[in-house]
Amino acid sequence: MMALRLNRAAPRNWLPSPGGLGVVALIGILAVIQACVSPFFPILGTNPSLVLMLVIAIATIDNRSRSLVWGFIGGLIVDIFSAAPLGTSAFIFTLLVHLAGSWGQRFERVTVVFAVLAGTFATMLYYLMFTLAMQLHGLNFDWTLLARDHLPHALAVNTGVILALYPLARISTKLGRSNSSPRFQVVQ
């Protein structure tokens, strides 16, 4: 009979790591820029999804469950700054981070090209899912206007954003890693 045993390399401190706090601070700063600054300076007629592109870049680099936490926290902070119902972006970000992370596990080496492809796909899915969620809450959207006018510009802008944020995501995932996380071992 096989059993699972928790192997702890070192006693776990339940305080957040400095790298983790840095990622939360970076997500918060990008959310403030996305909500307060970018509406006044639209690029190609649209606002960049800074937080979404950061958490997607983190998910393509670090495909652990930690990236799910960053996706949820990023979506929750975006929800706090937006007029959308609380939890809408948090749910969508978490789902998109899970998809990007699971696709990233299939490749041996994650590159910026994969992050750009994941960011492009996440942008398309985010706009479709967010629009559908808002329609379920009673708001009306013109789907043809979204697909024809807004989505191509958002794809172009978010591609540039993920290229700019990819180095920050690599640095933040390096700083956020700790070697004292518990591991499960199969005991026979």
Side-chain angles (χ1 to χ4, degrees), residues 126-136 139 141 143 146:
Y126 175 73
Y127 276 96
L128 293 174
M129 292 167 65
F130 189 79
T131 304
L132 181 63
M134 292 300 101
Q135 277 197 326
L136 291 174
L139 297 173
F141 283 94
W143 287 85
L146 175 75

Side-chain angles (χ1 to χ4, degrees), residues 27-186:
I27 289 172
I29 290 168
L30 289 176
V32 168
I33 293 170
Q34 179 177 328
C36 300
V37 177
S38 68
F40 296 107
F41 304 104
I43 303 168
L44 296 176
T46 187
N47 299 328
S49 301
L50 300 172
V51 178
L52 176 63
M53 293 298 107
L54 177 69
V55 296
I56 292 296
I58 289 174
T60 59
I61 296 166
D62 188 17
N63 51 16
R64 299 181 196 170
S65 60
R66 187 176 303 139
S67 60
L68 289 172
V69 173
W70 300 139
F72 180 78
I73 290 172
L76 195 62
I77 293 173
V78 167
D79 280 337
I80 289 171
F81 283 114
S82 72
L86 190 65
T88 305
S89 292
F91 173 72
I92 295 172
F93 279 25
T94 306
L95 181 63
L96 293 174
V97 162
H98 172 69
L99 290 174
S102 64
W103 291 331
Q105 289 177 350
R106 295 186 181 154
F107 298 99
E108 290 181 19
R109 184 175 172 196
V110 177
T111 62
V112 70
V113 174
F114 177 73
V116 168
L117 291 175
T120 302
F121 193 70
T123 300
M124 288 189 293
L125 281 178
Y126 175 73
Y127 276 96
L128 293 174
M129 292 167 65
F130 189 79
T131 304
L132 181 63
M134 292 300 101
Q135 277 197 326
L136 291 174
H137 286 303
L139 297 173
N140 291 324
F141 283 94
D142 184 9
W143 287 85
T144 57
L145 181 68
L146 175 75
R148 185 188 64 217
D149 294 338
H150 192 67
L151 192 57
H153 298 291
L155 288 171
V157 169
N158 285 342
T159 299
V161 166
I162 201 163
L163 285 171
L165 291 178
Y166 188 78
L168 284 175
R170 287 198 65 83
I171 292 169
S172 66
T173 54
K174 270 187 196 175
L175 295 176
R177 290 184 184 146
S178 66
N179 294 331
S180 63
S181 62
R183 306 273 187 235
F184 285 102
Q185 291 180 340
V186 176

Side-chain angles (χ1 to χ4, degrees), residues 7-14 179-182:
N7 181 20
R8 291 188 183 260
R12 178 85 180 182
N13 187 0
W14 290 102
N179 294 331
S180 63
S181 62

